Amino acid sequence: MARISFDFRFLLIPAAFMFIYLQMRLFQTQSHYADRLGSAIESENHCTSQMRALIDEVSIKQSRIVALEDMRNRQDQELVQLKDLIQTFGRKGLAKLVEGGQTPLAAVVIMACSRADYLERTVESVLKYQSPVASKYPLFISQDGSNQAVKSKALSYNQLTYMQHLDFEPVVTERPGELIAYYKIARHYKWALDQLFYKYKFNRVIILEDDMEIAPDFFDYFEAAASLMDRDRTIMAASSWNDNGQKQFVHDPYALYRSDFFPGLGWMLKRTTWDELSPKWPKAYWDDWLRLKENHKGRQFVRPEVCRTYNFGEHGSSLGQFFSQYLEPIKLNDVKVDWKAIDLGYLTEGNYTEYFSDLVRQAQPIQGSDLVLKAKNIKGDVRIRYKDQAEFERIAGEFGIFEEWKDGVPRTAYRGVVVFRIQTTRRVFLVGPDSVVQLGIRKS
């Protein structure tokens, strides 16, 4: 057999190519991993920088937290000191209350905040008539906040007990644009009334504001009202205020009325009523809340014809609303009425409807246009029917009395009837569409 010869040198050529190819692939792989390694190192450096920045930021925030904790601790210490001071004054006040050995008829609290000059005027007016009956009507000032001028003024009187409401909880309004003041006022009222009813154990409280003066018979009036409220549980509160109490609309300092509309501005309530109201007290607008039918539940309020308080507060949380038209012209009673000699039995639920119905029934009905002129030309009381709120507002505007309604009730109204004087002695009755039925008056 012939021998085949093969030159293995020919294999070196493809092997060389294969070696070159493998070296190129190896170089490419090394370059790829080198790039990835570079990116990883760069990312690591970036993360390290970010971590250092975060550590620095955390350190700064920790320093701030420590500073805030120190501030909070200082505030807590100050609060403890203030509470101790308040309790000291409270103990002194309680000692004063029991000195005479007489059970107080009602506490009197002046609600204050930041108007030291107004507060002084109010306190001086109250002390003028309260001093002779101080054992019956212990006087308190409840301050909301830490205004130093108000606090100093309150503490300058040794005839009263000072309370301070310190509220650090942020206020969150329910609607945009609302004044925070109305929320803080509601909180202050709840706190003060809780203190007076549950800490000091009073059975009744008379609430005044720091921009009021009182009449000479203020305390006698509320003593008579307290007796009336004890007899008649359908009276939710007694007020010293008449919304239509301007000089031109009042005459008789002895006249009292029942109303479905809460008057406020110098009023008295009992602890049993507060037991009901305190757990559901509103976040704001407490006075309008009391005017809701769901809260007064068919009960009524006693009010005078001639006011026993005068509101001089042109500047305050309400921004002087209605002051020049409705508040400034208010007539403050200047007659010392002997309320103990007057039988107020006609104001009880069983008697008042009949009493008031007779007054309305005897009034001469008028209608049509020029109602003010017609009323002035008639000798005696008159009554005017209105069919709805719009017509009431038109008629009220003609006479110049309050046009406002709350929850379907005009200010001062009883069974939809609003009464005021015109030309001194004569009464005008604005009678609602359902009033004649509620009062049992024959339509005419």
Side-chain angles (χ1 to χ4, degrees):
M1 178 180 289
R3 188 176 181 177
I4 300 174
S5 62
F6 182 79
D7 192 350
F8 287 97
R9 287 177 297 178
F10 286 107
L11 295 174
L12 294 175
I13 295 174
F17 279 114
M18 180 62 71
F19 177 77
I20 293 171
Y21 172 75
L22 291 173
Q23 289 294 319
M24 290 178 64
R25 290 296 303 272
L26 180 61
F27 177 77
Q28 288 175 350
T29 302
Q30 288 175 338
S31 298
H32 175 70
Y33 281 107
D35 291 341
R36 291 183 65 181
L37 180 61
S39 298
I41 293 172
E42 184 179 353
S43 297
E44 182 181 6
N45 292 336
H46 179 67
C47 289
T48 303
S49 299
Q50 284 187 324
M51 185 175 296
R52 287 175 179 171
L54 286 171
I55 291 171
D56 292 341
E57 186 176 352
V58 169
S59 298
I60 293 171
K61 288 185 176 180
Q62 284 179 334
S63 300
R64 290 179 180 173
I65 290 171
V66 171
L68 288 171
E69 286 179 347
D70 290 340
M71 182 183 298
R72 180 184 175 182
N73 290 333
R74 288 196 300 271
Q75 288 179 341
D76 288 343
Q77 291 174 358
E78 291 175 358
L79 182 58
V80 169
Q81 293 172 354
L82 285 170
K83 286 182 177 179
D84 289 341
L85 180 63
I86 291 169
Q87 289 175 357
T88 300
F89 285 122
R91 286 192 293 269
K92 290 180 179 178
L94 283 174
K96 291 178 189 175
L97 299 184
V98 299
E99 276 178 2
Q102 182 177 10
T103 302
L105 189 142
V108 180
V109 60
I110 301 172
M111 308 295 285
C113 181
S114 59
R115 303 182 294 185
D117 54 340
Y118 279 16
L119 178 62
E120 180 179 18
R121 181 173 169 182
T122 298
V123 173
E124 294 297 330
S125 173
V126 173
L127 288 177
K128 182 178 180 181
Y129 303 110
Q130 182 261 0
S131 296
V133 291
S135 59
K136 279 187 178 181
Y137 299 96
L139 181 60
F140 290 75
I141 289 177
S142 182
Q143 180 187 359
D144 185 32
S146 55
N147 183 282
Q148 189 57 47
V150 169
K151 183 175 181 179
S152 298
K153 178 57 63 178
L155 293 176
S156 69
Y157 295 98
N158 60 13
Q159 306 98 316
L160 54 82
T161 302
Y162 172 72
M163 306 190 302
Q164 187 174 28
H165 177 234
L166 297 172
D167 181 12
F168 301 108
E169 183 180 347
V171 175
V172 179
T173 61
E174 295 182 346
R175 292 175 289 275
E178 288 184 299
L179 289 176
I180 290 177
Y182 291 115
Y183 287 79
K184 295 186 75 66
I185 289 170
R187 288 182 184 179
H188 182 204
Y189 266 74
K190 185 182 188 311
W191 178 85
L193 290 172
D194 279 346
Q195 290 286 303
L196 293 167
F197 281 121
Y198 302 140
K199 176 183 176 180
Y200 291 102
K201 308 296 184 183
F202 290 108
N203 291 321
R204 305 176 192 84
V205 175
I206 298 171
I207 301 99
L208 293 170
E209 296 171 16
D210 63 353
D211 54 2
M212 293 180 178
E213 293 177 327
I214 67 172
D217 64 342
F218 177 88
F219 292 106
D220 291 341
Y221 165 73
F222 274 112
E223 184 170 356
S227 176
L228 186 63
M229 291 169 67
D230 288 342
R231 294 161 56 192
D232 188 349
R233 293 185 179 182
T234 66
I235 299 174
M236 189 173 187
S239 174
S240 57
W241 183 259
N242 173 13
D243 281 308
N244 292 321
Q246 295 77 22
K247 296 178 178 67
Q248 65 272 30
F249 299 130
V250 298
H251 169 70
D252 186 359
Y254 296 85
L256 303 180
Y257 299 88
R258 290 176 73 118
S259 174
D260 297 305
F261 191 98
F262 171 65
L265 295 178
W267 56 289
M268 179 176 68
L269 80 163
K270 298 171 64 175
R271 189 197 302 175
T272 52
T273 306
W274 184 245
D275 289 341
E276 171 193 338
L277 299 177
S278 179
K280 59 179 183 178
W281 193 250
K283 294 180 179 179
Y285 311 106
W286 65 267
D287 48 350
D288 283 342
W289 178 82
L290 276 177
R291 291 165 182 147
L292 298 178
K293 295 173 184 175
E294 65 187 68
N295 293 318
H296 61 73
K297 297 178 180 179
R299 291 167 293 186
Q300 285 138 3
F301 310 92
V302 171
R303 66 162 182 91
E305 178 173 314
V306 182
C307 290
R308 265 59 186 184
T309 47
Y310 178 79
N311 189 310
F312 57 83
E314 183 174 6
H315 306 290
S317 58
S318 62
L319 306 179
Q321 186 182 25
F322 306 130
F323 180 80
S324 60
Q325 182 176 359
Y326 296 112
L327 300 182
E328 191 174 24
I330 286 289
K331 164 70 175 174
L332 178 64
N333 179 55
D334 54 6
V335 177
K336 190 71 167 71
V337 176
D338 182 7
W339 289 106
K340 293 179 181 179
I342 299 175
D343 181 7
L344 299 182
Y346 70 95
L347 287 165
T348 58
E349 182 183 28
N351 298 328
Y352 188 74
T353 300
E354 182 179 354
Y355 163 79
F356 192 73
S357 297
D358 287 342
L359 293 179
V360 177
R361 185 183 296 107
Q362 292 168 16
Q364 181 174 338
I366 61 174
Q367 57 186 350
S369 58
D370 299 323
L371 292 172
V372 177
L373 181 60
K374 289 177 180 177
K376 288 181 177 179
N377 288 333
I378 291 176
K379 294 181 180 180
D381 298 344
V382 300
R383 54 185 161 108
I384 303 168
R385 292 284 303 277
Y386 64 89
K387 63 183 179 182
D388 53 27
Q389 181 174 347
E391 187 171 31
F392 173 87
E393 291 173 351
R394 178 184 63 79
I395 297 171
E398 291 181 16
F399 282 96
I401 64 168
F402 255 109
E403 304 172 22
E404 184 183 19
W405 288 38
K406 292 291 183 184
D407 201 16
V409 180
R411 281 186 181 266
T412 77
Y414 172 74
R415 303 289 191 243
V417 179
V418 172
V419 56
F420 57 95
R421 303 274 182 172
I422 186 171
Q423 289 186 339
T424 310
T425 60
R426 287 174 290 170
R427 292 185 180 97
V428 176
F429 297 91
L430 303 186
V431 182
D434 299 324
S435 300
V436 292
V437 174
Q438 295 183 47
L439 295 174
I441 301 173
R442 184 177 58 83
K443 292 185 179 181
S444 58

